[in-house]
């Protein structure tokens, strides 16, 4: 299949003008022995795309081509590719584009924690090249991180599982979510709404936890068994004393969470896991005595093995994130970022119709 040596994308040129992205041409990274090219069909818009676009996490190499919930078709294979991928296969790519695959972390299906990780967007390779994501017509990356998409799944609907979904699924899976467990999902937004669906599909008794009652109706539609509005019930942790086996914090920031209160609702051995990546300046304040019998940790995305398991679960349990499909383009992507600023989203965007812009 013929395609240009240069790729095209809708890129951030200036963080101050992130609501006005521009179409650019760019050189892809040098094709490695184990790299593949995929032609992008669609791509979800994650909160971290917005964070990078507006400079929330600092500067990135420009032009910045974002997008890391990518689904597309394999169109080129490096000379040593050996995972079984074939030209024409439909694959998904999440937030990770590279790892060494030789360290103990990689060998134990923890490649997302590899010391040599390269993220799919705006991250440097060893040669200095800054990675480019799925808001372009093609993506080039290591074959290990291209996951086959099971038949029967709609690309645009399940694209958000590749980053947002796996980010909540991994801590659920690793911390025993399942039948007989009481699991809280704190923060019912882009990731949290998927957390409710996934925890329910895994067999847990699910508590949706939000600040107000605004998302109560949605939470029950998503499959929650219970709903807690923390601002409406100031003594909620006392009411639910010794309840939770696991709480996954899906909020984008931790500043509104009182870590001297939340542990009271945990049972002995209970686990609090945050998936938040806030500003570097944000600090946690808590009394260590409040954590007696309770553990707290942070989790990052998930392994390729877990992504495959998640996609299979989505197929078996008919899990469908709440997605609004938006045609890709300069103006439309800028409008998506503007709506994310205002919280005008329920609960994920996926950019589609790439053939009309590239």
């Amino acid at each position: 299949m013929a395609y240009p040596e240069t790729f095209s994308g809708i890129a951030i040129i200036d963080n101050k003008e992130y609501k006005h992205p521009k179409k650019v041409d760019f050189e892809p990274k040098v094709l490695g022995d184990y790299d593949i090219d995929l032609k992008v069909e669609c791509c979800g818009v994650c909160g971290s795309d917005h964070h990078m676009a507006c400079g929330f996490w600092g500067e990135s190499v420009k032009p910045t081509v974002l997008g890391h919930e990518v689904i597309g078709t394999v169109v080129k294979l490096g000379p040593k590719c050996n995972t079984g991928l074939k030209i024409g296969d439909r694959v998904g790519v999440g937030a990770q584009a590279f790892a060494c695959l030789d360290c103990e972390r990689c060998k134990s299906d923890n490649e997302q924690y590899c010391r040599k990780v390269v993220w799919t967007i705006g991250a440097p390779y060893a040669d200095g090249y800054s990675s480019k994501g799925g808001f372009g017509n093609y993506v080039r990356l290591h074959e290990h991180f291209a996951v086959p998409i099971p038949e029967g799944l709609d690309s645009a609907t399940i694209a958000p599982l590749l980053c947002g979904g796996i980010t909540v699924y991994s801590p659920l899976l690793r911390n025993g979510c399942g039948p007989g467990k009481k699991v809280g999902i704190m923060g019912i937004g882009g990731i949290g709404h998927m957390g409710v669906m996934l925890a329910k599909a895994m067999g847990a008794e699910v508590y949706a936890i939000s600040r107000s009652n605004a998302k109560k109706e949605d939470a029950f539609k998503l499959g929650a068994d219970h709903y807690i509005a923390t601002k409406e019930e100031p003594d909620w942790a006392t009411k639910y004393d010794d309840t939770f086996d696991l709480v996954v914090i899906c909020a984008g920031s931790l500043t509104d969470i009182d870590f001297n209160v939340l542990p009271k609702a945990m049972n002995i051995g209970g686990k609090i896991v945050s998936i938040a990546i806030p500003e570097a300046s944000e600090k946690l304040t808590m009394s260590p005595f409040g954590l007696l019998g309770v553990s707290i940790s942070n989790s990052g995305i998930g392994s390729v093995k877990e992504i495959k398991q998640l996609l299979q679960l989505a197929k078996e349990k008919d899990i469908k994130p709440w997605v609004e499909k938006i045609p890709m383009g300069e103006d439309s992507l800028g409008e998506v970022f503007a709506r994310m600023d205002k919280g005008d989203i329920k609960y994920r965007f996926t950019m589609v119709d790439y053939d009309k812009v590239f």
Side-chain angles (χ1 to χ4, degrees):
M1 177 179 178
Y3 56 92
E5 293 184 4
T6 58
F7 296 173
S8 299
I10 307 298
I12 303 300
I13 307 300
D14 182 342
N15 292 122
K16 295 179 181 178
E17 295 293 325
Y18 71 95
K19 296 177 193 174
H20 303 284
K22 301 298 180 185
K23 185 177 179 181
V24 300
D25 294 331
F26 61 91
E27 296 290 333
K29 71 180 288 292
V30 174
L31 183 74
D33 286 344
Y34 300 96
D35 283 348
I36 66 165
D37 287 352
L38 63 94
K39 181 176 175 59
V40 180
E41 174 189 352
C42 62
C43 186
V45 185
C46 189
S48 46
D49 290 314
H50 179 265
H51 290 343
M52 287 193 68
C54 67
F56 183 78
W57 288 337
E59 286 290 326
S60 57
V61 175
K62 304 296 186 298
T64 307
V65 180
L66 300 169
H68 56 279
E69 296 175 338
V70 193
I71 294 183
T73 304
V74 177
V75 294
K76 189 171 187 176
L77 297 166
K80 294 184 179 180
C81 285
N82 58 13
T83 60
L85 290 177
K86 304 182 297 298
I87 301 297
D89 284 351
R90 183 174 64 144
V91 297
V93 173
Q96 188 171 2
F98 179 83
C100 76
L101 302 182
D102 194 45
C103 67
E104 288 305 313
R105 295 183 176 203
C106 287
K107 291 178 179 178
S108 61
D109 292 314
N110 286 296
E111 60 267 57
Q112 72 271 36
Y113 300 114
C114 177
R115 303 295 189 192
K116 297 181 180 179
V117 63
V118 177
W119 307 119
T120 304
I121 53 174
Y125 281 91
D127 64 0
Y129 184 87
S130 182
S131 57
K132 306 289 192 295
F135 293 164
N137 55 356
Y138 295 92
V139 172
R140 177 173 290 173
L141 79 161
H142 194 288
E143 64 171 341
H144 180 78
F145 298 97
V147 179
I149 303 297
E151 291 184 12
L153 295 178
D154 177 69
S155 294
T157 301
I158 57 95
L161 294 177
L162 295 168
C163 180
I166 190 61
T167 297
V168 67
Y169 178 71
S170 179
L172 288 171
L173 183 67
R174 293 183 182 216
N175 291 283
C177 177
K181 300 294 185 179
K182 294 183 178 181
V183 174
I185 302 295
M186 180 169 278
I188 311 303
I191 293 179
H193 96 283
M194 289 186 279
V196 171
M197 288 190 287
L198 293 170
K200 186 65 175 180
M202 296 167 78
E205 183 175 347
V206 182
Y207 293 71
I209 307 172
S210 190
R211 286 174 293 184
S212 73
N213 282 308
K215 297 178 180 177
K216 186 174 183 178
E217 183 178 346
D218 286 352
F220 286 121
K221 288 179 181 178
L222 291 163
D225 299 291
H226 311 274
Y227 188 89
I228 301 171
T230 58
K231 297 298 184 184
E232 305 291 335
E233 302 179 59
D235 63 342
W236 72 272
T238 301
K239 178 180 177 181
Y240 292 96
D241 177 69
D242 207 22
T243 293
F244 296 110
D245 298 289
L246 171 65
V247 170
V248 180
I249 300 173
C250 299
S253 170
L254 302 176
T255 54
D256 286 338
I257 298 172
D258 191 335
F259 284 94
N260 292 316
V261 171
L262 176 57
K264 296 177 182 178
M266 307 302 297
N267 63 25
I268 297 302
K271 299 176 181 180
I272 302 169
V273 185
S274 169
I275 57 89
I277 308 179
E279 289 184 278
S281 61
E282 188 169 301
K283 307 296 181 185
L284 297 183
T285 302
M286 69 184 76
S287 168
F289 292 104
L291 291 176
L292 289 174
V294 176
S295 64
I296 183 170
S297 63
N298 203 11
S299 177
I301 57 172
S303 68
V304 168
K305 179 180 178 180
E306 289 168 336
I307 294 174
K308 291 177 180 178
Q309 291 173 332
L310 171 59
L311 292 173
Q312 191 59 39
L313 180 68
K315 180 175 181 177
E316 292 173 358
K317 299 291 187 177
D318 195 30
I319 295 169
K320 295 179 180 178
W322 290 12
V323 169
E324 182 177 348
K325 301 175 185 180
I326 306 289
M328 174 56 89
E330 294 178 341
D331 292 342
S332 56
L333 183 58
E335 178 62 21
V336 161
F337 288 142
R339 287 180 59 184
M340 293 175 82
D341 277 344
K342 297 181 290 186
D344 180 20
I345 175 174
K346 192 183 283 189
Y347 284 95
R348 303 291 286 199
F349 293 118
T350 298
M351 307 306 294
V352 298
D353 293 344
Y354 273 53
D355 56 329
K356 296 179 181 179
V357 67
F358 297 119

